[in-house]
């Protein structure tokens, strides 16, 4: 079951410039900043109630977010739903015929367990499932 929207991912070319909007003018609190080598990004999480905005800067042009920026420019990149057990959700969705990018969960930002569904199966919306680490929301 999807328990809520964990975060909305936004592709940016310059994190500090993006922070001027999100932390500056929107006055959101920065919750976390991390380089996630596995996903080829430097990411910043900002608090929005129980949810977050995840700003994503690619580490290189050949990373998934780098390719996204090159073809589409900065903007909305993905939606992430919070789940209690990402492995169980993947099995359930695979059984329901949903095409997956990740057949097994991997480690995401803040030691979360994450998996991506294929946008061809989700009406063009790149969709992430997030199981937060214990004690993190
Ligand atoms: Co994300």
């Amino acid at each position: 079951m999807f328990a809520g929207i964990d975060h909305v991912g936004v592709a940016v070319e310059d994190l500090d410039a993006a922070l001027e909007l999100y932390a500056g003018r929107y006055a959101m609190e920065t919750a976390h900043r991390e380089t996630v080598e596995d996903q080829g990004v430097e990411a910043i999480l900002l608090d929005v109630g129980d949810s977050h905005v995840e700003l994503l800067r690619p580490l290189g042009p050949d990373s998934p977010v780098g390719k996204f920026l090159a073809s589409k420019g900065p903007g909305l990149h993905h939606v992430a739903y919070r789940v209690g057990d990402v492995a169980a959700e993947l099995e359930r969705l695979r059984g329901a015929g949903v095409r997956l990018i990740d057949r097994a969960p991997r480690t995401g930002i803040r030691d979360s367990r994450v998996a991506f569904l294929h946008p061809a199966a989700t009406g063009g919306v790149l969709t992430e499932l997030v199981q937060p680490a214990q004690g993190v929301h």
Side-chain angles (χ1 to χ4, degrees):
M1 189 179 77
F2 293 3
I5 292 181
D6 186 83
H7 64 265
V8 171
V10 177
V12 306
E13 284 169 350
D14 182 332
L15 281 174
D16 292 315
L19 279 177
E20 286 181 22
L21 175 64
Y22 286 90
R25 277 164 272 173
Y26 291 171
M28 293 179 185
E29 292 283 337
T30 298
H32 187 70
R33 185 166 186 155
E34 179 179 340
T35 297
V36 186
E37 298 279 354
D38 181 52
Q39 292 176 27
V41 294
E42 182 181 7
I44 293 177
L45 285 175
L46 299 115
D47 288 330
V48 187
D50 286 341
S51 302
H52 306 91
V53 172
E54 181 183 70
L55 303 177
L56 301 163
R57 178 187 69 80
L59 297 179
D62 292 333
S63 64
V65 176
K67 290 176 183 165
F68 177 92
L69 277 179
S71 68
K72 297 188 174 163
L76 199 55
H77 182 259
H78 66 272
V79 174
Y81 296 102
R82 190 178 303 130
V83 300
D85 182 337
V86 67
E89 282 301 317
L90 273 185
E91 277 310 301
R92 183 178 74 81
L93 293 170
R94 194 205 319 259
V98 176
R99 185 171 165 196
L100 310 177
I101 291 178
D102 296 308
R103 298 179 68 85
R106 50 194 165 116
T107 300
I109 195 167
R110 287 202 294 187
D111 290 325
S112 57
R113 302 293 290 162
V114 305
F116 283 88
L117 312 181
H118 201 284
T122 57
V125 180
L126 180 59
T127 300
E128 180 182 10
L129 307 180
V130 180
Q131 177 184 341
Q134 290 283 341
V136 175
H137 70 85

